Amino acid sequence: MKRGALIGYGFIGEQGHARGYTQSNDLGIDAVVDTHPARREKAAQALPGVAIFDSAESFFESELSKRLAFVDICTPPATHAPLARAALQRGLHVLCEKPITTRAADADELVALARKSGRVFYPSHNYTHAPVLKRVQGLLDEGALGDIHMATLSTFRSTHARGVPEWRPDWRREPEISGGGILMDHGSHTFYVAFAWMGAYPTKVSARMLRSAHAPGGSATDDDVACELTFPSGIVRCHLTWRAGNRKVIYTIHGSGGGLRVEDDKLELSLRFGTPGSYRWETREESVASHWMSASHEAWFTSVFGDFARAMRERDLVPETARDAIACMRVIEACYRSASEEGRAIAVDCSA
């Protein structure tokens, strides 16, 4: 079992990652880093025997850091690039929460550094590990829907995800910390899922967004985003909002052989048979427990950790999830640019 350090003991670090490690057969945590005294105290209580550090610098300078294999970065987005850079330079593998950076140029730099240092850079793209989306990917891999030409992905949230009360609980509304609003917070989840379903990266994007005047402090971040991604084989439309009346994900996929709809844990599959003019349809419904209502998605992390362990074991330094993460950042940047230009279509190159 490879051992590592958890950097950042906020909501997702505590409720998602730390709990996931207690259930993992592949990875374990020997150190926790957090700058806030109350969070360090909580970590010490929850994880007895784990070394506690008050800064990343003190951890990186410690003898313990030299004996560990990886770091797991669960801090706000603006800190991801410097922390990942420091870890890779010291010979540590990196697991990093999304978005991996707040700029595509920083993501490119980290991937180049991972290759140079011979260490894995692995983004935590946990939506692909949700059981219902694993089921969807299995159906696509089997060719159940034929050639995919359209998809829609809607993520409804009634507000931004609040952080822990001890430290800036509304940091997602502070662009200098978060990098942006819901597009930066949830865009990666939406886009890497879309890449997998379409089997490619988009070549063009357009977007529009709104900012709420009723957000805490008068939000300077985007609350409501609608965007369209053009792929070589079709179109994907996405809607992300922090202003919904409920919490829900609704996805649809459409192909030459049928379509499907995901609403949280429910999956409706419609298969088409016959020829034009005499089509017949077979529809069935499934329920795949995925616990979408849990904001921490703790049940998904053992699968994430298993694939990260595989990447370290096989020296898969820049796995597909890392390439997807770079593409996500390029699409996010293009969406912000498009929205600033009244929704003008922006060409995007995700191939590099």
Side-chain angles (χ1 to χ4, degrees):
M1 177 181 283
K2 290 189 179 297
R3 313 295 296 185
L6 181 63
I7 302 181
Y9 198 70
F11 175 81
I12 197 62
E14 177 187 12
Q15 302 293 327
H17 291 242
R19 290 184 178 180
Y21 285 115
T22 66
Q23 303 168 40
S24 175
N25 295 320
D26 301 295
L27 306 176
I29 289 297
D30 285 346
V32 170
V33 180
D34 201 280
T35 59
H36 198 284
R39 300 308 301 170
R40 293 197 298 274
E41 183 177 348
K42 279 185 176 289
Q45 292 172 353
L47 303 167
V50 168
I52 307 295
F53 294 87
D54 62 5
S55 69
E57 292 77 14
S58 62
F59 163 71
F60 286 131
E61 293 169 2
S62 70
E63 287 300 314
L64 177 60
S65 71
K66 299 178 177 63
R67 302 196 298 271
L68 298 181
F70 70 92
V71 298
D72 180 357
I73 299 172
C74 294
T75 53
T79 64
H80 289 176
L83 289 171
R85 186 182 302 115
L88 290 169
Q89 289 172 340
R90 288 165 172 80
L92 290 159
H93 301 286
V94 172
L95 173 67
C96 185
E97 260 296 336
K98 58 77 194 168
I100 51 170
T101 60
T102 57
R103 300 190 316 141
D106 290 331
D108 290 334
E109 178 194 346
L110 292 178
V111 164
L113 183 56
R115 291 192 173 108
K116 180 180 178 181
S117 65
R119 295 297 182 267
V120 172
F121 181 61
Y122 190 101
S124 179
H125 286 177
N126 60 341
Y127 272 36
T128 57
H129 298 267
V132 69
L133 296 191
K134 285 186 173 182
R135 172 64 175 144
V136 168
Q137 193 60 53
L139 290 167
L140 297 181
D141 292 343
E142 293 168 9
L145 301 185
D147 297 326
I148 306 304
H149 58 82
M150 184 174 68
T152 66
L153 298 96
S154 297
T155 298
F156 299 114
R157 299 289 185 265
S158 59
T159 186
H160 62 286
R162 288 176 60 82
V164 294
E166 297 93 343
W167 185 86
R168 307 182 85 94
D170 296 313
W171 63 261
R172 283 180 172 82
R173 297 288 191 179
E174 301 180 54
E176 66 277 10
I177 298 173
S178 64
I182 193 168
L183 180 61
M184 190 66 74
D185 190 37
H186 268 280
S188 291
H189 287 320
T190 295
F191 298 146
Y192 65 69
V193 169
F195 303 160
W197 290 352
M198 300 301 290
Y201 294 130
T203 57
K204 185 169 57 177
V205 305
S206 60
R208 290 189 179 266
M209 61 184 62
L210 296 174
R211 291 172 170 83
S212 172
H214 305 292
S219 172
T221 55
D222 40 288
D223 288 354
D224 204 330
V225 177
C227 59
E228 181 176 281
L229 280 58
T230 301
F231 288 80
S233 61
I235 298 290
V236 171
R237 293 184 176 89
C238 312
H239 187 195
L240 308 167
T241 183
W242 277 339
R243 303 172 69 188
N246 58 0
R247 177 187 174 92
K248 193 170 287 293
V249 295
I250 300 176
Y251 300 152
T252 70
I253 309 176
H254 307 269
S256 58
L260 63 77
R261 183 178 190 272
V262 172
E263 182 174 342
D264 296 331
D265 293 357
K266 299 176 184 178
L267 190 158
E268 180 184 271
L269 176 66
S270 298
L271 300 179
R272 186 175 70 185
F273 300 93
T275 57
S278 61
Y279 285 131
R280 62 183 178 85
W281 302 86
E282 290 185 7
T283 300
R284 66 175 185 263
E285 296 182 355
E286 303 177 22
S287 181
V288 185
S290 301
H291 310 291
W292 285 99
M293 291 301 104
S294 168
S296 67
H297 306 305
E298 63 181 272
W300 305 351
F301 280 104
T302 52
S303 180
V304 174
F305 297 158
D307 196 52
F308 178 43
R310 174 208 58 78
M312 289 188 284
R313 186 170 58 251
E314 297 176 4
R315 295 186 60 77
D316 187 4
L317 305 182
V318 184
E320 183 178 13
T321 185
R323 300 191 295 274
D324 285 351
I326 293 176
C328 286
M329 288 311 307
R330 291 179 179 164
V331 171
I332 288 170
E333 287 187 345
C335 284
Y336 278 120
R337 179 182 170 190
S338 173
S340 73
E341 299 179 18
E342 300 296 326
R344 184 174 72 85
I346 304 293
V348 58
D349 181 7
C350 298
S351 60

